[in-house]
C-alpha cells in the first residue's frame, strides 16, 4: 500500500505512520532511523524520502543517485553518510545524509543483484548479493570493492535478501530458495 506502519511492541497494535503515497512514496524497499528522522528508500520515486517521528515529510534526498533505488539502505555509524544499493544498477551509492550530495558509487560488490547492505562492527560495508548467492564487502573509506566475503552457496546460502549484525558481532543473513 506504499505506506509505513508502526507496530507497538507492548500491545502489538499496528497503526499507520506514513500515509500511502505520501510525497510520492512508492515501492518502499527499506528504512532506517537517524535520530528522530525516518529515512525510507522509495523505488518508485527513486529517492530516499525523509519523515519526522510523526510521519510528516521533511525532505527528499538521493533523488536519482542510482539506476533505481530498489534495495536496502544503511546509515554510517556516525549518521553522516547514507548508503543505498540498487539491484537494477548493480551499485552501492554513498551520499551525504544531510545534504543529499553524491559522495561516490561502487560497482561490482556483487556480480549482479545486490539486495541489501549493512555496516559491520569492523567498519566495512557488507552487501547481500542475491544473484551471486553470497556476501560482498566494500571499504566505505575508499569505496573500494574488497571482493566476496562469503562465497556463493557457502553453508547453503542461497539468494540472500537482508543482513544484520547481531550484538554478538556475527553477521546474520536471510537465505531463500
Amino acid at each position: 500500500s506504499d505506506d509505513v506502519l508502526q507496530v507497538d511492541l507492548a500491545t502489538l497494535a499496528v497503526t499507520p505512520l506514513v500515509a500511502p503515497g505520501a510525497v510520492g512514496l512508492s515501492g518502499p524497499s527499506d528504512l532506517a532511523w537517524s535520530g528522530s528522522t525516518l529515512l525510507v528508500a522509495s523505488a518508485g520515486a527513486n529517492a530516499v524520502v525523509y519523515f519526522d517521528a510523526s510521519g510528516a515529510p521533511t525532505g527528499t534526498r538521493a533523488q536519482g543517485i542510482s539506476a533505481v533505488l530498489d534495495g536496502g539502505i544503511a546509515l554510517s555509524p556516525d549518521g553522516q553518510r547514507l548508503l543505498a544499493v540498487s539491484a537494477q544498477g548493480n551499485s552501492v551509492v554513498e551520499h551525504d545524509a544531510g545534504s543529499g550530495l553524491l559522495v561516490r558509487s561502487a560497482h561490482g560488490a556483487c556480480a549482479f543483484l545486490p539486495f541489501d547492505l549493512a555496516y559491520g562492527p569492523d567498519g566495512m560495508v557488507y552487501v547481500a548479493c542475491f544473484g551471486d548467492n553470497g556476501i560482498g564487502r566494500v571499504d566505505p573509506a575508499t569505496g573500494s570493492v574488497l571482493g566476496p566475503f562469503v562465497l556463493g552457496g557457502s553453508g547453503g546460502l542461497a539468494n540472500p535478501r537482508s543482513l544484520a549484525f547481531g550484538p554478538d558481532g556475527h553477521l546474520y543473513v536471510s537465505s531463500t530458495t
Side-chain angles (χ1 to χ4, degrees), residues 133 150-158:
N133 295 316
V150 176
L151 293 174
S154 295
L157 181 61

Side-chain angles (χ1 to χ4, degrees), residues 49-136:
V49 186
Y50 285 38
F51 298 91
D52 67 18
S54 72
T58 59
T60 300
R61 304 284 193 279
Q63 184 79 43
I65 61 169
S66 61
V68 173
L69 189 53
D70 54 1
I73 59 175
L75 281 169
S76 62
D78 65 5
Q80 300 299 308
R81 300 282 188 245
L82 177 68
L83 294 180
V85 67
S86 172
Q88 187 178 53
N90 194 31
S91 60
V92 175
V93 182
E94 177 185 6
H95 71 93
D96 183 275
S99 69
L101 294 175
L102 177 65
V103 175
R104 68 175 67 102
S105 292
H107 299 280
C110 302
F112 61 99
L113 291 178
F115 215 85
D116 194 17
L117 68 167
Y119 279 89
D122 60 356
M124 296 295 115
V125 173
Y126 294 81
V127 183
C129 299
F130 185 84
D132 300 358
N133 295 316
I135 307 297

